[in-house]
Amino acid sequence: MYDVIVVGGGPGGSAAAKRCAELGLKTLLLERMKLPRRKVCTGMLVAKVAQDLVEEVFGESPSKAITPSQYLSGIRVYAPGIRPRTLEHRIFIAWRKEMDYWMNKKAEQSGAELRDAARVETIEEGPDGFTVRLAGADVKARFLIGADGATSVVRSCLFPDLRVRYGGATREVYKGALKNLETDYMHWFFPAHRIRPRFDINFKRDGLFALEGGGLKDLSKEIKQYLADHYGFDPQWEPVWKDGCALSHLHDELLSGAFVPAKGNALLIGDAAGLAVPVAYEGIGSAVKSGILAAASIGNAIETGQPAASAYVPSLEGIMAEIKRLHPLEDWLTKEAEKGDEAMLDAVIFAFKKAFVESEY
Ligand SMILES: Cc1cc2nc3c(=O)[nH]c(=O)nc-3n(C[C@H](O)[C@H](O)[C@H](O)COP(=O)(O)OP(=O)(O)OC[C@H]3O[C@@H](n4cnc5c(N)ncnc54)[C@H](O)[C@@H]3O)c2cc1C
């Protein structure tokens, strides 16, 4: 019997498990993949609040711990045939595989038990707490934290009637040199005179770069030709690897109150709760923040005897306010894009400034 089981070893799960272990709680962190695992994600800590939170929870700055001098100078946005726009902003960027594993290990060092290759199949709630079913084994706890990302099993067990809208993102990682794209900028392309589809190119160590985005499948040939014509992409290059993931869209439900990401002593955090902030879907910071809040709420529940949800839900106020502030920009961006590519790029820079530079939660 554990005090807390945390399902999912992303940034949210590691932060929650670390904080629970530090409270002296017997904590189990379950991850379905063999660790270290890959995650489709640019790996940017863009907002200052995200950088500060990661440092606050996991100790030394990940820039020192993982990728020395791995900072971007900003973001450039492109539409065919017009002048790109730039947002100058210092951004930490890492491979998620390395950053997340560093977080997993920090949680373990703080006393959480870390179990990988442990896929949770279903959850059952009984009078003594939760039974978490893994292939071939059951584990039990008084408190449960669902940190299992966009396609959360914990969420679907707790809220079987919730209808979730999903999007998708793909990533292809190449080794090779491109021209006319500075490696210390994130390059975001809007190839179809609309806000979507869009894709980005960002450079990592060892001559690798990632091409990632949503709604790209049908455009992939055109995109590669465009990159060949302008940036020296060789259409014969094969990706070193490619992968993809789902994104869940729950902002409308969160803002209307139709979905509240907690029930009794079961709390959802990060992408499982739909808390990635709108516009750019920066979700590492909000996952870490909600993980800290979930751990604190469990500490509070043990002291007061109240369900953990009753402290957790109000404590999400800052993240909810941020979602509320940024959510309208998504429709606004679509409308601005209808005015033409120049207006679209100006609007994107405006919205990124709001989402990245001014973010606070
Ligand atoms: C293309 C793309 C680019 C992005 N770029 C950025 C960015 O630059 N910066 C940023 O802040 N955010 C970015 N995001 C969003 C960010 O990746 C997520 O918001 C963030 O990873 C959420 O963290 P999390 O801990 O909630 O979930 P995740 O990081 O998704 O972790 C969930 C974990 O749970 C595990 N899991 C799932 N199901 C089970 C199960 N049944 N049993 C056990 N374990 C399970 C998964 O394997 C995974 O390890 C991007 C997203 C995409 C798609």
Side-chain angles (χ1 to χ4, degrees):
M1 187 76 180
Y2 292 87
D3 294 316
V4 188
I5 293 177
V6 182
V7 182
S14 289
K18 185 170 189 294
R19 282 293 167 93
C20 286
E22 285 164 358
L23 288 174
L25 302 173
K26 190 176 175 202
T27 305
L28 176 63
L29 174 58
L30 295 171
E31 167 55 45
R32 71 175 165 187
M33 312 285 279
K34 185 96 190 85
L35 293 169
R37 62 95 176 93
R38 281 184 184 142
K39 163 80 177 82
V40 178
C41 178
T42 314
M44 298 187 297
L45 298 178
V46 189
K48 172 117 184 15
V49 58
Q51 295 178 17
D52 290 350
L53 275 165
V54 168
E55 190 149 341
E56 179 196 321
V57 177
F58 297 100
E60 348 143 43
S61 146
S63 61
K64 283 174 239 146
I66 305 168
T67 51
S69 72
Q70 188 70 26
Y71 277 90
L72 299 178
S73 304
I75 295 176
R76 283 205 211 297
V77 297
Y78 303 77
I82 65 167
R83 176 181 61 84
R85 311 303 201 252
T86 303
L87 177 66
E88 303 289 347
H89 181 55
R90 191 166 186 263
I91 302 167
F92 171 78
I93 183 166
W95 280 117
R96 281 291 301 274
K97 185 178 173 185
E98 294 171 351
M99 184 160 70
D100 288 17
Y101 194 51
W102 171 72
M103 292 173 173
N104 295 150
K105 287 289 163 189
K106 287 280 177 179
E108 195 176 37
Q109 285 157 19
S110 294
E113 182 183 330
L114 173 64
R115 212 183 286 179
D116 66 355
R119 176 190 289 270
V120 171
E121 292 178 342
T122 188
I123 312 280
E124 277 160 31
E125 190 172 4
D128 300 333
F130 300 91
T131 302
V132 174
R133 291 200 193 287
L134 305 163
D138 287 354
V139 277
K140 294 184 182 212
R142 292 159 64 199
F143 297 91
L144 180 68
I145 297 180
D148 48 342
T151 55
S152 171
V153 168
V154 178
R155 184 180 64 220
S156 48
C157 290
L158 293 176
F159 302 99
D161 299 329
L162 180 70
R163 290 175 67 91
V164 183
R165 287 166 295 121
Y166 290 100
T170 54
R171 170 172 72 172
E172 295 186 357
V173 177
Y174 292 91
K175 193 171 179 86
L178 297 177
K179 60 178 188 185
N180 303 330
L181 291 177
E182 299 96 318
T183 53
D184 63 333
Y185 282 81
M186 153 96 163
H187 303 275
W188 218 310
F189 295 84
F190 297 82
H193 313 288
R194 298 193 303 272
I195 283 297
R196 286 202 166 70
R198 63 190 187 199
F199 69 94
D200 74 77
I201 289 184
N202 63 89
F203 295 90
K204 297 291 203 308
R205 293 188 315 252
D206 309 324
L208 294 170
F209 68 88
L211 198 167
E212 58 197 7
L216 297 182
K217 223 170 152 205
D218 299 338
L219 277 177
S220 131
K221 227 169 144 191
E222 287 91 330
I223 285 171
K224 283 171 191 168
Q225 193 53 55
Y226 174 76
L227 293 175
D229 293 344
H230 296 86
Y231 303 107
F233 184 90
D234 181 344
Q236 302 304 319
W237 282 342
E238 287 294 327
V240 182
W241 82 81
K242 50 183 174 181
D243 43 19
C245 70
L247 289 157
S248 52
H249 299 289
L250 284 163
H251 292 148
D252 286 334
E253 291 77 2
L254 284 166
L255 291 175
S256 69
F259 170 52
V260 176
K263 205 180 230 181
N265 285 326
L267 312 176
L268 296 172
I269 66 171
D271 277 10
L275 296 177
V277 296
V279 178
Y281 278 79
E282 202 191 7
I284 299 170
S286 54
V288 170
K289 176 81 181 195
S290 53
I292 303 173
L293 296 171
S297 304
I298 289 172
N300 179 276
I302 290 169
E303 263 177 47
T304 63
Q306 296 294 311
S310 59
Y312 179 61
V313 173
S315 75
L316 291 174
E317 186 189 11
I319 301 177
M320 292 300 296
E322 189 60 2
I323 292 174
K324 194 171 174 188
R325 181 178 77 92
L326 296 171
H327 188 54
L329 286 175
E330 296 196 332
D331 281 345
W332 176 77
L333 277 171
T334 305
K335 288 202 184 97
E336 287 299 295
E338 286 163 9
K339 297 179 186 166
D341 286 348
E342 301 278 357
M344 175 171 70
L345 293 194
D346 287 340
V348 168
I349 289 292
F350 177 85
F352 278 4
K353 199 163 170 234
K354 293 267 164 220
F356 288 153
V357 183
E358 296 171 16
S359 201
E360 198 49 74
Y361 41 82

